[in-house]
Amino acid sequence: MIDSGWFARELPSQLVDLIRKAEFSAIGIDAPRCSVPSPRPWFWDGSKQCWRRRSKERGAGRHCEVVIKAHGLGNPQWSPLESDEIPPWMNLGFELFQAFSVLDRVRVDEVFPTASYACLSGKQSPQLRIDLSSFKPGPKDLLDSSVAALTVREFVQGRGQEVGGGDGLGSIVLPRKLDSPISKVLQWPDSSE
């Protein structure tokens, strides 16, 4: 977040110029990187702690979202199938990831503030100083953007963890390493299984 700015009306291309001028090295976006091209072939069975071939489950969502859900870090809004109607906020996220792909020397990560709150709960957490003067248009969104920035900083400084990505549809970074990682869900199943 820049000076508690409110960027809801900015175009992604304008933000690229702003990012270049501000010389950012890392950015966190609280939105999925992409939609899902086809139904996910695997379903995580939490009761048996294993992957299963999808049967009646719809198959939306990405590996990183399954990992977040399986670890109890939040209830993601599953990335929709490309053929589904895409909510406007997700479309904006897709546009931001696409626009920011031209930035050299800038790391662009997907974050999920709800998962970040869960990771930091009860721990000696980093302090966050927030200017509340511009929060009126959307206090929760601005708080989430502050936590997104903190999450990326903690990850870049080696205190966090990247989860998902086995399906090739992106990962989510967390501000802390998982306390009790479920190793099987962290690994995307081999297509021969």
Side-chain angles (χ1 to χ4, degrees):
M1 187 170 62
I2 301 171
D3 299 327
S4 294
W6 182 247
F7 297 122
R9 290 175 278 283
E10 298 285 343
L11 296 173
S13 60
Q14 292 171 313
L15 290 175
V16 167
D17 293 338
L18 182 63
I19 290 164
R20 282 187 173 132
K21 289 176 188 167
E23 299 181 6
F24 284 121
S25 60
I27 296 170
I29 298 175
D30 175 16
R33 183 176 295 276
C34 62
S35 57
V36 179
S38 59
R40 181 170 22 97
W42 298 98
F43 174 78
W44 176 252
D45 184 338
S47 64
K48 294 182 180 174
Q49 298 288 288
C50 67
W51 289 101
R52 292 188 340 201
R53 284 278 181 191
R54 182 178 61 82
S55 56
K56 296 178 185 175
E57 297 83 17
R58 192 146 185 287
R62 300 171 298 135
H63 181 212
C64 55
E65 296 160 347
V66 173
V67 171
I68 294 294
K69 176 77 172 169
H71 284 89
L73 298 176
N75 288 316
Q77 293 184 26
W78 302 107
S79 296
L81 296 171
E82 287 176 356
S83 58
D84 291 346
E85 184 175 338
I86 309 292
W89 71 272
M90 283 190 187
N91 266 326
L92 177 59
F94 301 164
E95 290 173 22
L96 289 171
F97 276 108
Q98 181 63 38
F100 293 173
S101 69
V102 302
L103 295 168
D104 295 331
R105 299 178 302 273
V106 178
R107 181 182 177 94
V108 181
D109 286 303
E110 181 177 338
V111 297
F112 183 33
T114 300
S116 294
Y117 297 131
C119 285
L120 296 171
S121 179
K123 296 193 171 70
Q124 177 102 3
S125 296
Q127 298 296 309
L128 183 63
R129 185 176 172 176
I130 302 173
D131 175 0
L132 299 172
S133 66
S134 297
F135 270 45
K136 186 177 179 188
K140 177 72 166 76
D141 289 337
L142 286 169
L143 179 59
D144 283 353
S145 71
S146 297
V147 171
L150 178 135
T151 296
V152 171
R153 184 192 73 197
E154 293 297 296
F155 175 75
V156 169
Q157 291 180 352
R159 291 183 283 275
Q161 182 172 351
E162 188 170 13
V163 297
D167 56 5
L169 299 174
S171 58
I172 293 175
V173 299
L174 301 170
R176 293 288 180 268
K177 293 178 179 21
L178 295 168
D179 286 335
S180 301
I182 304 168
S183 61
K184 286 185 180 179
V185 78
L186 291 171
Q187 299 300 314
W188 189 245
D190 184 328
S191 59
S192 64
E193 291 180 31

